[in-house]
Amino acid sequence: MGNAAHAPVYRRDMFSRSGIRDPYPHYTALRELGPVVWLSRQRVYALPRYTECKAVLRDDTNFISGEGVALNPLTNRLSRGTTLNSDGADHQRRRKLLAHRLTPKALRAMSAAVDAKAKAVVEAAVARRHVDGVRDVAMALPLAVVPDLVGWPEDGRENLLTWAGATFDSLGPLNRQWLRTTPAAMSMLRFSRRVVRDRSVLAGSMGDDVLRAADDGALPRSECSALMIDYLAPSLDTTISAISSALHLFATHPDQWQALREDPSLVANALNEVVRLESPLRAFTRKSVTDTDVGGVQIPKGSRVLVVYASANRDEREWDDPDTFDITRDVNRHLGFGYGTHGCAGQGLARLESQAILRELAARVDRIELTGTPTWAINNIIHRYDQLPLELVPA
Ligand code: HEM
């Protein structure tokens, strides 16, 4: 590719199965190569370092989302109409429509219910003592909270996790994993269209807001189904990832667990540190609409640029001992929830859920012990455990 002349080239595949299971050697190699690296497999410019990732996320005039944030043109076409996949006034309009559901005030109103659910999840897990940290701890709360909030009908819920995971996979490159799971992402889209057509959303939910906005003419009806998926798809695996990675990190760093137990006010910072160190969302793309200089490298107009949040969050230029888990470090500036206009719309909810689980665990569990070998879920975009055998030793 002639247009890659100014950037070093990386020929290995960070989206291979082994790259999905252990992405960090790829990120380290990319960061060493330079601020902008041409990925010959995916034919995109990767940004593996913190400064350039942040600069591109901030510059949403030159690096747009409206032509998609996926690594392939098919998904970029299919995901038109979402908040994630839009710019400027369109983006603001879509984001505003549901933002009132996730403001600090709205979240405060939900917090007692979330805390009660978290308590029930943790009590049941501690009573079992030997658990799968993913299935028995991390999944239970997001699945109990988000579908109700979004208003997804009861009868479509058994597929939600598979569909939502597939939606993330479909944002990756056109590899075997994409082929395997994209039919399920299409099923989610179809189901969502049917929900809109049948108006089968739960009364008083976000989905209900979306339909009412369409009734009032504030939103084209054709956008409703995409907007429902917008909030449902990214809200499960991401939070499940954060909670399960927290469990693994605390199991393997007992000193950090004791520190959290002694000072539960560290829980908010601890969650940020988990999201920095094991960023649930690996990377999304932008499209450049002008010739732009990034880190001294010329990126031609019309290029796809991959913002590797997970690598930026381990950049040794930005972080002291980036591979070390330290719940007291100054970590707020991490990019695990993105940054700028498209910064995660659901992060307040994700924090509410994950912190509630950690607080309940800290109050009840003396030690978290790993009792087997964890396995990673295979997904192009989401980095999370599939199985995490643990013993929760009661306090
Ligand atoms: C630990 C959990 C989570 C992580 C790590 C995470 C991560 C992210 C990231 C990195 C972005 C930026 C995308 C971009 O730059 O293009 C994003 C956007 C978004 N997230 Fe999250 N997310 C989490 C939880 C949630 C939850 C619970 C919801 C919904 C309730 C949600 C809804 C969204 C939406 C709607 C966007 C698009 C915002 C926009 O384009 O304006 N996320 N998330």
Side-chain angles (χ1 to χ4, degrees):
M1 280 296 292
N3 63 1
H6 301 293
V9 178
Y10 191 67
R11 298 189 194 282
R12 293 179 55 214
D13 183 8
M14 64 179 251
F15 295 96
S16 66
R17 280 191 155 233
S18 68
I20 286 172
R21 287 198 189 95
D22 185 15
Y24 297 109
H26 289 278
Y27 301 156
T28 306
L30 288 168
R31 286 195 306 272
E32 276 169 12
L33 277 172
V36 180
V37 180
W38 178 253
L39 300 185
S40 61
R41 298 292 289 261
Q42 283 81 33
R43 303 161 77 89
V44 297
Y45 291 98
L47 308 179
R49 296 183 185 169
Y50 181 89
T51 305
E52 291 75 25
C53 283
K54 198 167 190 171
V56 161
L57 292 174
R58 186 189 293 124
D59 184 2
D60 59 333
T61 332
N62 285 319
F63 294 97
I64 61 165
S65 297
E67 294 197 22
V69 300
L71 270 158
N72 73 83
L74 282 171
T75 304
N76 282 335
R77 209 168 314 134
L78 283 172
S79 44
R80 278 186 195 145
T82 60
T83 314
L84 187 64
N85 186 335
S86 52
D87 299 305
D90 261 352
H91 170 252
Q92 263 183 6
R93 177 174 58 79
R94 288 177 184 146
R95 186 147 169 158
K96 240 205 221 128
L97 198 66
L98 294 172
H100 66 282
R101 293 281 181 174
L102 297 165
T103 58
K105 190 168 163 218
L107 291 171
R108 267 198 302 281
M110 285 172 60
S111 76
V114 171
D115 285 349
K117 284 178 181 159
K119 183 164 179 252
V121 168
V122 168
E123 276 179 355
V126 175
R128 286 180 70 170
R129 193 160 173 150
H130 288 270
V131 294
D132 174 2
V134 180
R135 192 192 54 225
D136 300 324
V137 184
M139 279 183 182
L141 190 61
L143 281 173
V145 170
V146 181
D148 283 339
L149 183 70
V150 178
W152 202 257
E154 296 283 351
D155 69 350
R157 293 193 182 184
E158 66 282 5
N159 296 315
L160 262 187
L161 259 182
T162 312
W163 287 351
T167 303
F168 271 115
D169 256 330
S170 75
L171 291 157
L174 289 177
N175 54 10
R176 227 176 295 157
Q177 184 60 15
W178 187 95
L179 283 171
R180 192 168 22 241
T181 56
T182 293
M186 301 293 294
S187 300
M188 187 174 202
L189 210 58
R190 265 198 306 277
F191 186 84
S192 181
R193 289 206 194 103
R194 196 162 73 234
V195 167
V196 170
R197 197 183 56 227
D198 301 347
R199 299 188 77 97
S200 52
V201 294
L202 304 188
S205 65
M206 281 172 135
D208 206 18
D209 287 353
V210 168
L211 292 182
R212 279 165 201 270
D215 293 342
D216 299 343
L219 174 80
R221 192 156 299 276
S222 59
E223 285 186 13
C224 289
S225 53
L227 279 177
M228 301 223 18
I229 291 188
D230 232 346
Y231 283 82
L232 197 50
S235 58
L236 297 170
D237 280 296
T238 49
T239 315
I240 293 167
S241 160
I243 298 173
S244 30
S245 285
L247 290 170
H248 183 262
L249 284 166
F250 282 120
T252 49
H253 298 78
D255 57 318
Q256 297 290 306
W257 184 243
Q258 287 318 317
L260 184 72
R261 294 198 66 215
E262 278 160 28
D263 181 3
S265 74
L266 285 172
V267 78
N269 206 62
L271 195 259
N272 274 324
E273 172 68 348
V274 171
V275 172
R276 179 193 71 82
L277 193 61
E278 297 287 11
S279 306
L281 222 156
R282 300 179 68 189
F284 276 158
T285 69
R286 297 292 190 262
K287 186 155 186 189
S288 68
V289 294
T290 48
D291 292 338
T292 319
D293 181 290
V294 175
V297 177
Q298 192 66 26
I299 295 193
K301 175 179 171 175
S303 307
R304 266 244 162 239
V305 177
L306 185 68
V307 180
V308 193
Y309 315 103
S311 177
N313 283 340
R314 293 221 188 188
D315 184 359
E316 34 294 278
R317 289 154 202 81
E318 180 65 25
W319 309 96
D320 295 332
D321 301 323
D323 299 335
T324 302
F325 179 51
D326 174 4
I327 63 170
T328 64
R329 81 159 74 223
D330 179 8
V331 67
N332 279 340
R333 64 189 185 286
H334 74 82
L335 302 180
F337 287 111
Y339 178 77
T341 5
H342 289 275
C344 181
Q347 59 185 287
L349 180 60
R351 290 178 203 282
L352 189 71
E353 293 174 82
S354 317
Q355 291 175 19
I357 291 279
L358 287 180
R359 257 196 318 271
E360 292 296 333
L361 281 168
R364 288 177 175 72
V365 172
D366 181 45
R367 275 175 297 131
I368 303 174
E369 302 214 331
L370 205 55
T371 53
T373 311
T375 56
W376 289 100
I378 299 297
N379 190 293
N380 280 325
I381 300 295
I382 289 289
H383 171 74
R384 78 160 169 85
Y385 287 102
D386 186 33
Q387 286 174 327
L388 182 59
L390 297 174
E391 179 179 3
L392 304 175
V393 181

